[in-house]
Structures are given as C-alpha cells and as structure tokens.
Amino acid sequence: MSAGKIKRLNISEEVMNRLLERIQRGVVKSGERLPSVEALAQEFGVSRSAVREALSALRAMRLVEMRHGEGTFVTTFQKDEPSLALYTAALMKKEDIDHLLEVRLYLETGTSQAAATRRTDEDLRIMKEALQLMARSEGDVEAGEKGDFLFHEAIVSAAGNPILQQLWNQISEMLKRAMRETRLIAFYEDKDVMSVLSHEHARIYQAISQQDGEAASAAMRQHLQTVLDQWNRSQEKWAP
C-alpha cells in the first residue's frame, strides 16, 4: 500500500482521493480495516489532522465507518447491486447514473407540467415543507437529501396520475441513490452548486404554484441539466 508523498495545497482532499482510489480498485476491500491515522500520515507525508479530515469526509459519504477502539473500516457493499449501494459517485457504475438521469429527465419534466395543472393546496404545502427542510439542512447532507427527494416525490404525487405514481414507487430506491450521489458531488466538490440547486427548486415550486405548466417543465429541465452537468464534471475528474 505504498504511495508517493503528497505535495499539493489541498492536502486532506488529496488524501481522500488516494484512499478512494484504493477502495475503487479493491486494494482495500469492503469490510477491511484501513491503516491507522498515524500510518497513513507517515506514508503520505502529511499531518494526522489532514488524514482525519479525509477520513471524516469518507465517513460522511458513508464509504467508511469508524469503530471505537478498532479503527476505520471500509463499508460493506455488494458489487452486483444496480447502483452499488455506495454513497459516492467515484464508486458508482457510471452507466447506472447516466441511465437514471435520463429517466428523471423524461419522467419529471412532464410530471412537473402535469403537477402545475392539477396541484392542490395540500400538494403545495408538502412541497414547501420539503424546500424548508433543504434550506435548514446546510452542512447536513442526509437532511438535504431527504428534502430533495420529498420535493420531487410531492411533484409526482401532485400530477394525480396513479400509474405514474406506481412507476415512481417502483424505481424510487434507485432514484434516491442517484440523487444521493449527485447531491454529494455538489456538496463536497462545488458548494456554489448547492445554492444554484436551491434556486432552481424555488423556480420549479413557483411555476407549479402559479399553475404555469410550461414554466414548470422548463424549470425542471434546467434543474436536471444542472445535475447532469455536475455529474459529467465529476466523471471527468475521477476518470483514470
């Protein structure tokens, strides 16, 4: 598990990238323990605080777990799952996310247009609560992820089409995972994107509340394009 010394400015991010690469390539397999903080610091030629920051980021992404008195272990997962059940795009199958983003584009642009026509006051209340949850979740990836999914789910519900709702329910777990990956990318790689996403959600809500179907569909398309662009940029970064 030898590696060259790290000399770049963003030390903790470089440490995180090195460890991600090891997990991705199976050098450290799921369920196995990582070297100690002291060992990693010595190997990479960095401070222990830089290693701790890197491990904390990996833990926030649910890639590792820290066991008191035992060390840091790679999260256990099954490689044959459709989206790997790993909560970072670096370890996801690119084609899975590509396909899921395509499904979202087809599904949600039309759904938001229908929702604008058929939404009720109760639908709007649920959407607004989801937006408020996202607004309160700064620094809390899990809460932000929950609000994000609830917002989009409320739009599907507001469309008032039981078959569409059933379709959403059938793929909801995969959609949750795809949304988790893309949201984590924004949170850890480009914090400004989080502000853009928040603004786009507000535009979608406003169009639906005003019963402007075309504006709602256009706002949703723009939002999903932002997500797609962020995903593609992350793939360029992580490409071998």
Side-chain angles (χ1 to χ4, degrees), residues 111-112 115 127 150-159 204 208 220:
T111 299
S112 58
M127 291 179 210
L150 290 175
F151 178 72
H152 288 271
E153 184 176 57
I155 293 174
V156 173
S157 178
I204 295 167
I208 292 175
M220 179 64 77

Side-chain angles (χ1 to χ4, degrees), residues 139-201:
D140 186 339
V141 177
E142 187 173 350
E145 166 199 322
K146 180 179 179 180
D148 196 352
F149 182 80
L150 290 175
F151 178 72
H152 288 271
E153 184 176 57
I155 293 174
V156 173
S157 178
N161 185 320
I163 296 178
L164 183 62
Q165 182 70 61
Q166 183 178 15
L167 175 61
W168 174 270
N169 292 340
Q170 289 175 346
I171 64 174
S172 63
E173 288 305 314
M174 295 185 72
L175 287 172
K176 282 181 183 178
R177 291 178 180 178
M179 292 169 75
R180 176 178 296 129
E181 311 314 331
T182 51
R183 193 173 183 86
L184 279 169
I185 291 168
F187 186 83
Y188 285 103
E189 295 188 2
D190 189 348
K191 300 294 179 62
D192 291 339
V193 172
M194 299 301 290
S195 177
V196 173
L197 295 176
S198 178
H199 178 70
E200 289 176 349
H201 281 130

